[in-house]
Amino acid sequence: DLIGDEGAARLAEALREMKELQELALFNIYIGDEGAASLAEALRETKDLQGLNLSGNNIGPEGAARLAGTLRELKKLRGLSLHQNHLGPEGATRLAMALPEMKKLQTLSLTSTNLGPEGAARLAEALRGMKELQKLSLQDNKICRLPDMFSDPHWLPALTELFIFDDSIVYPPKQIWHDGLAAIRGFFQEHS
């Protein structure tokens, strides 16, 4: 069922009492910016949260901004999925502000969030040096050209899975990582 912003606000009240919550998945239930704001306030109380999936909703830049304020406080968060929302470049920029403080993040899914080249560049810079990020999904975002740091083998030292197109690109050893990303960057430079 679709709970929307009103249902998210009611759910947020219950979440305030769930201080030991470790996983929360609220996908495809039409939560918008107002609902995201309500959830963001409630999630400040869940210091043990390790996984958050708000995919397939209607969260835009304003909702992303509210979530970002809370995400930087969730020090145990390992997985974040916001795919199929309407973040756009502005929402990506807001999220990018929180990422450097999310040291434990291992999985980030932002597929189909309308990032565009500007949003991808902001995220790429914010992700620099995230030592535990292993899986990054950015496919279907009209990125067009990969930011330069994609060819830097030290950019995301633990990254083993990078999803950019409709198919996944998996990079095990660092040499393959460096050569593969340089090739991908070259392709985008030639075709943009």
Side-chain angles (χ1 to χ4, degrees):
D1 289 330
L2 306 177
I3 69 167
D5 289 337
E6 186 178 314
R10 287 195 305 260
L11 179 60
E13 292 303 318
L15 287 173
R16 291 182 199 284
E17 304 303 318
M18 303 172 125
K19 298 186 187 317
E20 296 178 16
L21 185 69
Q22 293 183 4
E23 298 282 333
L24 180 62
L26 300 172
F27 48 90
N28 297 326
I29 53 176
Y30 206 69
I31 295 171
D33 288 340
E34 289 180 32
S38 297
L39 292 171
E41 287 302 313
L43 289 174
R44 290 182 190 278
E45 307 295 324
T46 60
K47 302 296 182 189
D48 291 332
L49 194 67
Q50 295 178 28
L52 178 61
N53 184 342
L54 296 175
S55 299
N57 284 295
N58 196 26
I59 300 170
E62 197 55 45
R66 297 295 296 271
L67 286 169
T70 296
L71 292 172
R72 63 175 30 114
E73 296 177 23
L74 300 176
K75 303 298 183 193
K76 295 182 180 180
L77 194 67
R78 296 190 189 297
L80 175 62
S81 182
L82 293 172
H83 67 263
Q84 295 179 333
N85 277 289
H86 306 286
L87 305 182
E90 184 183 340
T93 299
R94 301 293 186 95
L95 183 59
M97 292 179 197
L99 285 171
E101 297 178 46
M102 299 169 65
K103 306 282 188 209
K104 297 286 185 189
L105 198 64
Q106 295 175 353
T107 302
L108 177 61
S109 178
L110 297 172
T111 296
S112 300
T113 53
N114 303 314
L115 300 178
E118 180 187 337
R122 303 271 177 165
L123 285 170
E125 185 60 41
L127 290 169
R128 183 183 296 282
M130 289 190 73
K131 295 182 179 8
E132 295 192 30
L133 191 67
Q134 298 170 14
K135 183 176 178 181
L136 176 61
S137 180
L138 299 174
Q139 61 196 31
D140 193 25
N141 272 303
K142 299 179 181 87
I143 294 173
C144 302
R145 182 171 182 268
L146 292 175
D148 290 338
M149 66 265 313
F150 271 76
S151 63
D152 179 357
H154 305 292
W155 175 55
L156 292 171
L159 196 66
T160 58
E161 295 181 46
L162 175 63
F163 299 86
I164 301 176
F165 305 105
D166 293 330
D167 298 313
S168 65
I169 302 168
V170 180
Y171 292 99
K174 293 298 173 218
Q175 182 176 1
I176 294 173
W177 165 254
H178 183 267
D179 295 346
L181 285 178
I184 291 169
R185 191 172 129 242
F187 172 82
F188 275 105
Q189 287 173 340
E190 288 175 25
H191 294 89
S192 59

